């Protein structure tokens, strides 16, 4: 039996029989601000703002014990199809590296459904990186799942998995490239 609590509009907490925590953080901003208070169960960039970035969601997931999920609720803001009159792609542009995934207490799932979502590192300043890697995403813990994201214009690596604890990770349906054309192609 589980008890479900809802805190703010961007967070869900589930307590199970073993009292382990499971949180879902919903990214609703294209920004790159960090979490105001990591570990409080709310991934907001400012208290009461309900604004959640991918940065703040990863920081909160790292600080909040238990298995967590990050998903996206963003509208398309970029044109990738020349035939489209409306934006058909979600583009998040970063100027600083994402925090590494470090939570050892249960695994993190980052996934997206809907319009193609691109994480663009073309404007990245790697001097702010928390690791020596020049990568879109660094995973330093185990049992994480990264699914249905596209990475483009990163200087070196797209995803780096490192460390003795970084076992059992699943990377699936990921696209890499320098523009809207990806390898592997969408749908693979």
């Amino acid at each position: 039996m589980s008890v479900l609590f809802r805190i703010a509009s961007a967070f869900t907490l589930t307590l199970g029989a073993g009292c382990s925590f499971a949180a879902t953080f919903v990214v609703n901003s294209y920004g790159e601000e960090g979490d105001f208070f990591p570990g409080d169960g709310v991934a907001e960039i400012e208290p009461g703002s309900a604004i959640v970035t991918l940065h703040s969601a990863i920081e909160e997931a790292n600080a909040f014990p238990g298995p967590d999920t990050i998903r996206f609720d963003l509208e398309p803001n970029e044109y990738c199809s020349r035939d489209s009159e409306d934006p058909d792609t979600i583009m998040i542009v970063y100027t600083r590296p994402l925090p590494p995934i470090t939570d050892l207490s249960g695994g993190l799932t980052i996934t997206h459904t809907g319009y193609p979502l691109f994480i663009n590192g073309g404007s990245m300043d790697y001097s702010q990186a928390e690791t020596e890697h020049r990568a879109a995403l660094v995973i330093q813990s185990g049992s994480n799942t990264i699914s249905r994201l596209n990475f483009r214009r990163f200087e070196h690596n797209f995803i780096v998995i490192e460390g003795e604890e970084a076992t059992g990770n699943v990377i699936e349906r990921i696209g890499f490239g320098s523009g809207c054309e990806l390898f592997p192609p969408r749908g693979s």
Side-chain angles (χ1 to χ4, degrees), residues 84-116:
S84 178
E85 293 183 18
D86 297 315
D88 60 355
T89 302
I90 299 168
M91 184 74 63
I92 303 174
V93 178
Y94 284 108
T95 61
R96 65 187 185 110
L98 289 167
I101 297 172
T102 59
D103 182 15
L104 301 175
S105 68
L108 173 63
T109 298
I110 302 177
T111 189
H112 171 69
T113 57
Y115 289 95

Side-chain angles (χ1 to χ4, degrees), residues 9-91:
S9 63
F11 170 75
T12 302
L13 170 68
T14 303
L15 296 176
C19 286
S20 65
F21 297 96
T24 298
F25 303 105
V26 180
V27 175
N28 59 15
S29 170
Y30 306 94
E32 57 185 337
E33 297 87 355
D35 188 20
F36 186 80
F37 190 75
D40 66 350
V42 182
E44 298 173 320
I45 63 170
E46 292 283 334
S49 70
I51 297 172
V52 179
T53 66
L54 183 54
H55 273 264
S56 68
I58 291 174
E59 288 174 347
E60 188 61 37
N62 283 338
F64 196 73
D68 302 311
T69 300
I70 296 174
R71 63 180 188 81
F72 298 82
D73 184 17
L74 297 169
E75 293 296 318
N77 62 340
E78 182 86 8
Y79 296 88
C80 274
S81 170
R82 289 184 173 84
D83 300 329
S84 178
E85 293 183 18
D86 297 315
D88 60 355
T89 302
I90 299 168
M91 184 74 63

